[in-house]
Amino acid sequence: MNEPRQPSRRILLKSAAATTAALAVGSAASPALAAAQGPAVAAAPGGFPDYRYVKTLLTPSQLKYNPTGEIIFPCIRGTKDRLSAPLGRYYLYYAPHDAPGGICLAYGDHIEGPFTEYPRNPIVSNNWAPHYSVSHVSSPHVMWNESAKEMWLYFHGENTTTRLARSKDGINFTYDKVVLTASMLPAGTTETSYARVFPHELPAKNAHYVMLFMLNNKSNHRDIHWGWSADGRNWTFDQKALVSHNDVSAVNVGGPHLLTRNGSAYVVYNKDKQSGGDLMITEVGKDFTLRRHLGLFYDSSNSAPDNGRSAAPSFGTEGGVPYMVYEAGERLKGSIAVARG
């Protein structure tokens, strides 16, 4: 947990391949934006960019829909060539966590903002008759499904259940089904939540998608688990942890995101603040059979807005410039920030 703006903090694994990130969410912006980034800096593990905090994008006190004074779990998605007449070139999904929660949307034309709050948030509430009535819904992850030409929203509510809803415009969603529950994992599992889903080919498993999520059990230590699917709706889940808290000397790990680079796949995730509050990275390989813990991906700053904790990263590229949108600050006391690579 150090200041994330120090150019010397990326020393480990200098020999890792440095190629272009594979998770672009939008299309090109002004060339001046890329030119303004200055000289290249040292690479993070795996050859990924060394992200630096730029600005805070959303703060709960400035939002009209603010039932609990907290927001979490950003997801940034590009709209160009995907949605008809979108409100902006980028949609930023987020949510309060505590009851009643609510899946929210902000929109803007650049990943660095500014973002405008959608006036009719939440776009998905904790009551959706006849499908469910729960204390809260939260942790929105939206995946562009190319074959369906739809935005697919994965979200939890309660903490034991992840659900899927689908939309042609990224705003108005149709409920689909439950895709993950604690009962699908080993006995004693108490929580399966904070899921993100990504297109990823696993030929040996006849799968085109993978899901990463956080699992808690009676030990009250949270780990990263995963599953695979042919269609993004029906899933098989590995009964063993993909990344255990013990693997990286943490009390809890969560907020996983998949990145691919140079023919391999990586999982970026956060430690709890007690364990450092930083983002870590583990290489899992193209087929998810590798477990190579590469260490620090992003140092959380001791100063605002991180205040010793960075979490739940979402990645995108604009005009060739890589960005990371993330949860900055202590759990349920933070904001949504953006860092530039």
Side-chain angles (χ1 to χ4, degrees):
M1 183 169 60
N2 299 309
E3 296 298 325
R5 307 159 189 56
Q6 299 291 335
S8 61
R9 85 183 198 281
R10 299 299 182 212
I11 297 175
L12 57 148
L13 297 175
K14 282 186 176 180
S15 62
T19 55
T20 304
L23 287 172
V25 299
S27 58
S30 167
L33 182 60
Q37 308 311 307
V41 294
F48 290 98
D50 187 14
Y51 290 95
R52 310 293 183 89
Y53 167 80
V54 176
K55 63 189 294 188
T56 298
L57 298 176
L58 298 176
T59 300
S61 62
Q62 299 174 353
L63 298 172
K64 179 180 178 181
Y65 181 73
N66 179 27
T68 59
E70 47 83 21
I71 51 176
I72 66 166
F73 214 80
C75 181
I76 187 77
R77 285 293 172 261
T79 63
K80 188 179 181 193
D81 299 326
R82 293 174 172 176
L83 306 182
S84 176
L87 299 175
R89 292 177 63 152
Y90 296 93
Y91 280 4
L92 176 56
Y93 298 89
Y94 62 96
H97 179 270
D98 286 353
I103 307 306
C104 296
L105 170 68
Y107 57 91
D109 288 328
H110 300 287
I111 299 179
E112 290 192 24
F115 281 91
T116 300
E117 180 183 8
Y118 183 65
R120 293 188 292 279
N121 280 333
I123 57 174
V124 173
S125 77
N126 61 321
N127 291 292
W128 194 343
H131 308 297
Y132 62 76
S133 178
V134 294
S135 71
H136 77 289
V137 291
S138 194
S139 71
H141 176 80
V142 173
M143 177 193 72
W144 172 248
N145 188 304
E146 179 63 29
S147 60
K149 303 297 182 185
E150 293 176 339
M151 293 288 200
W152 284 25
L153 166 66
Y154 298 85
F155 63 103
H156 83 245
E158 308 289 353
N159 288 344
T160 57
T161 305
T162 296
R163 307 172 188 275
L164 169 62
R166 301 163 61 170
S167 173
K168 293 291 187 183
D169 64 7
I171 300 172
N172 300 288
F173 284 85
T174 300
Y175 187 82
D176 191 325
K177 62 179 293 186
V178 169
V179 294
L180 168 64
T181 69
S183 64
M184 299 174 181
L185 278 297
T189 297
T190 59
E191 180 181 356
T192 48
S193 56
Y194 301 96
R196 292 194 190 272
V197 174
F198 307 89
H200 187 79
E201 295 298 317
L202 292 172
K205 297 182 181 295
N206 191 31
H208 306 294
Y209 303 92
V210 297
M211 178 189 292
L212 304 175
F213 60 97
M214 186 185 75
L215 181 147
N216 192 15
N217 56 35
K218 293 179 179 179
S219 72
N220 204 29
H221 290 284
R222 292 163 177 85
D223 300 324
I224 306 300
H225 277 245
W226 78 293
W228 55 92
S229 171
D231 59 6
R233 300 180 67 246
N234 302 288
W235 293 85
T236 301
F237 298 104
D238 195 327
Q239 301 298 294
K240 296 180 180 179
L242 181 68
V243 180
S244 166
H245 66 283
N246 287 323
D247 294 337
V248 292
S249 302
V251 176
N252 298 300
V253 291
H257 194 292
L258 183 69
L259 295 176
T260 56
R261 196 181 202 98
N262 205 31
S264 192
Y266 303 78
V267 178
V268 177
Y269 51 93
N270 58 267
K271 285 185 173 184
D272 59 285
K273 184 176 180 180
Q274 178 183 342
S275 304
D278 300 320
L279 297 180
M280 312 299 289
I281 182 169
T282 294
E283 185 177 7
V284 297
K286 186 176 182 179
D287 60 0
F288 275 63
T289 60
L290 186 62
R291 302 291 184 271
R292 191 158 72 100
H293 306 298
L294 301 181
L296 183 67
F297 182 83
Y298 181 82
D299 275 341
S300 61
S301 170
N302 289 319
S303 60
D306 293 358
N307 295 320
R309 179 179 177 271
S310 302
S314 179
F315 296 86
T317 302
E318 180 182 355
V321 179
Y323 287 95
M324 178 179 73
V325 179
Y326 68 102
E327 186 181 320
E330 294 189 54
R331 177 168 165 74
L332 306 186
K333 297 180 181 180
S335 58
I336 304 304
V338 61
R340 184 194 302 135

